[in-house]
Structure formats: structure tokens, C-alpha cells
Amino acid sequence: PIPKGFIWAERMRDEPRTPANLDPSAIAELSRQAKIALMRQAMGSLASFSDPAVREEGIYYMTANGGLMGLNPETGQVLWTYNSKATADTSPAIAGDLIYVGTDLGDIHVVNRFDGELVTSFHVGGPLRGQVVLANNRLLISSKDGHLYSIR
């Protein structure tokens, strides 16, 4: 038996796989990988240096050109897009109905996760990088200006 948690591509080194000897979790993983491939195809060349944020109803993805996209997790279909009008290398964070992203202009954009509409935005400093973190009623984000911003 293959240890739980290994992806199918890694398991191929151990022994040949056919539908007859794939366990149900491996089949589910193949399905997940196929969905990821479909999403890559649907998104085309929208490069990103960030990680997506995921909820049951959507995958939220920040592109390098400042576009925030809401994607259907089953099909990869784009549900909505939001343009921050600035390049971005931050990963989105979700709290309740809101998505928080930072831009290279030092702005935080707060967007409704169900329709992609801007709720508010504000300037915090230099170009923002990395993951927006929400903890203890604070928003934390690092900047290329050498600061870690903590916003309440």
C-alpha cells in the first residue's frame, strides 16, 4: 500500500498504476490534479508570485499585474475579477466575506469575496510583499521598505 499523502506522480516510481489497483484516494487526487490543469489552462499566462486563498465556494488568486480573480473551484471558470491598478506579489488573505491583498504601491485593497467589488483601500507604505496575515484583530504585512506593518 502507498502511504497516505503521497501524490500519484510520486507513487508511479514504486509500481505501475492502472485503474484496477488505484485506491479511491488516488483517484480523487488524479481528479484534483486534472482540475488544477484545467484552471492553469483557463488562466492562460497570468503569472503570479503569490499563493491562492481557498474557500469552499472559490479560489482567490492575485496575478502579478495586480488582478485579483475569483475562480470556481470545480471548473476553474473565472467568476469575477478585480483590478488593483498596480503590480502585486502578495498572497490574498480571507476573513469573513472579505479578501485582503497588498500591492507594489504600498496599498491594501479590501474586496468582497463573493462579487469582487472593492470595499475599501488604504496606503500603508512601501511595496508590500508576501502573505497578508490576519491575526488578533490585526492585519500584518511586510514591505520592501524594511517594515512589518501591523494594522488594527
Side-chain angles (χ1 to χ4, degrees), residues 82 107-110 118-123:
Y82 168 75
D107 298 321
I108 298 287
H109 294 254
V110 183
L118 179 67
V119 174
T120 191
S121 66
F122 50 93
H123 186 74

Side-chain angles (χ1 to χ4, degrees), residues 118-139:
L118 179 67
V119 174
T120 191
S121 66
F122 50 93
H123 186 74
V124 295
L128 302 173
R129 295 288 184 260
Q131 174 73 45
V132 176
V133 176
L134 302 166
N136 298 324
N137 294 318
R138 291 187 176 274
L139 180 146

Side-chain angles (χ1 to χ4, degrees), residues 1-62:
I2 303 302
K4 193 172 185 169
F6 280 70
I7 64 168
W8 185 72
E10 292 173 334
R11 285 183 250 171
M12 289 172 44
R13 286 181 259 157
D14 298 332
E15 63 183 69
R17 296 287 171 194
T18 65
N21 67 357
L22 278 175
D23 62 61
S25 65
I27 292 170
E29 177 61 23
L30 285 173
S31 175
R32 187 181 77 79
Q33 293 295 330
K35 288 176 188 172
I36 290 170
L38 284 172
M39 280 187 265
R40 283 186 184 141
Q41 185 177 19
M43 290 166 51
S45 62
L46 296 174
S48 177
F49 302 103
S50 70
D51 296 320
V54 179
R55 290 292 185 267
E56 187 175 320
E57 79 290 336
I59 297 171
Y60 307 98
Y61 177 83
M62 191 73 178

Side-chain angles (χ1 to χ4, degrees), residues 48-131:
S48 177
F49 302 103
S50 70
D51 296 320
V54 179
R55 290 292 185 267
E56 187 175 320
E57 79 290 336
I59 297 171
Y60 307 98
Y61 177 83
M62 191 73 178
T63 64
N65 68 358
L68 177 63
M69 298 169 49
L71 304 173
N72 179 305
E74 296 297 318
T75 66
Q77 175 187 5
V78 177
L79 302 173
W80 53 259
T81 59
Y82 168 75
N83 185 352
S84 70
K85 298 182 176 80
T87 56
D89 288 337
T90 63
S91 297
I94 299 173
D97 295 347
L98 303 176
I99 301 172
Y100 298 79
V101 295
T103 72
D104 288 345
L105 295 178
D107 298 321
I108 298 287
H109 294 254
V110 183
V111 177
N112 182 300
R113 74 179 168 128
F114 297 105
D115 60 17
E117 293 295 318
L118 179 67
V119 174
T120 191
S121 66
F122 50 93
H123 186 74
V124 295
L128 302 173
R129 295 288 184 260
Q131 174 73 45

